[in-house]
């Protein structure tokens, strides 16, 4: 395993931990500020967090047989990520009582932003 991939793995593990703490903080603030919107924010955040987590797992942490299969794993991971996002959106829109779109998408886009910024910030710190 190359040193670059090992560093990326460690960076993503740290990023996921930091991101979970920030999502918890965002949910706590929402619970205090607007309790009716908390479930919408939570579902928006968890959809993109879980999708990104499975993508990173599929690409970096699975055991691949050959080097040529790494690009295939990347595309498979993207397919899994899209499936999780679309399924989560459908379940959230149809299944959450008192669904609120603005808090949902606020949680979704904040978490999406964190998915990109935290690993970049960690790469600058190391």
């Amino acid at each position: 395993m190359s040193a670059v991939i090992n560093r990326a793995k460690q960076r993503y593990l740290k990023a996921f931990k930091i991101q979970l703490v920030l999502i918890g903080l965002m949910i706590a603030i929402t619970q205090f500020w607007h309790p009716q919107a908390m479930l919408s924010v939570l579902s928006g955040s968890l959809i993109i967090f879980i999708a990104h987590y499975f993508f990173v797992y599929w690409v970096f942490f699975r055991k691949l047989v050959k080097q040529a299969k790494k690009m295939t794993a990347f595309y498979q991971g993207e397919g899994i990520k899209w499936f999780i996002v679309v399924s989560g959106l459908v379940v959230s829109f149809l299944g959450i009582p008192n669904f609120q779109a603005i808090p949902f998408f606020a949680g979704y886009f904040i978490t999406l932003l964190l998915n990109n910024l935290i690993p970049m910030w960690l790469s600058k710190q190391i």
Side-chain angles (χ1 to χ4, degrees):
M1 181 83 38
S2 73
V4 173
I5 291 177
N6 281 333
R7 281 195 307 265
K9 282 183 179 183
Q10 296 305 315
R11 188 177 313 131
Y12 274 111
L13 288 175
K14 279 184 184 178
F16 284 137
K17 291 174 186 175
I18 293 169
Q19 194 169 0
L20 278 175
V21 169
L22 292 175
I23 289 171
L25 183 63
M26 181 172 57
I27 298 303
I29 290 170
T30 304
Q31 176 66 27
F32 177 74
W33 174 63
H34 196 302
Q36 295 83 10
M38 193 266 308
L39 191 57
S40 295
V41 172
L42 178 64
S43 66
S45 295
L46 286 181
I47 287 170
I48 198 64
F49 178 79
I50 291 170
H52 186 66
Y53 179 82
F54 274 103
F55 171 76
V56 169
Y57 168 76
W58 195 265
V59 172
F60 288 117
F61 292 98
R62 276 186 336 125
K63 303 283 188 234
L64 296 175
V65 178
K66 295 180 182 177
Q67 184 74 12
K69 296 212 180 232
K70 288 188 180 187
M71 203 61 195
T72 303
F74 180 81
Y75 288 119
Q76 289 171 343
E78 272 300 315
I80 291 169
K81 185 176 181 178
W82 277 105
F83 177 76
I84 291 170
V85 168
V86 171
S87 300
L89 288 171
V90 169
V91 168
S92 293
F93 288 168
L94 299 177
I96 295 178
N98 300 326
F99 178 79
Q100 297 178 8
I102 293 175
F104 174 84
F105 284 111
Y108 182 88
F109 287 119
I110 288 170
T111 306
L112 185 63
L113 188 65
L114 291 174
N115 281 345
N116 295 308
L117 292 180
I118 294 174
M120 284 189 335
W121 178 72
L122 288 174
S123 70
K124 301 292 182 194
Q125 298 299 318
I126 296 175

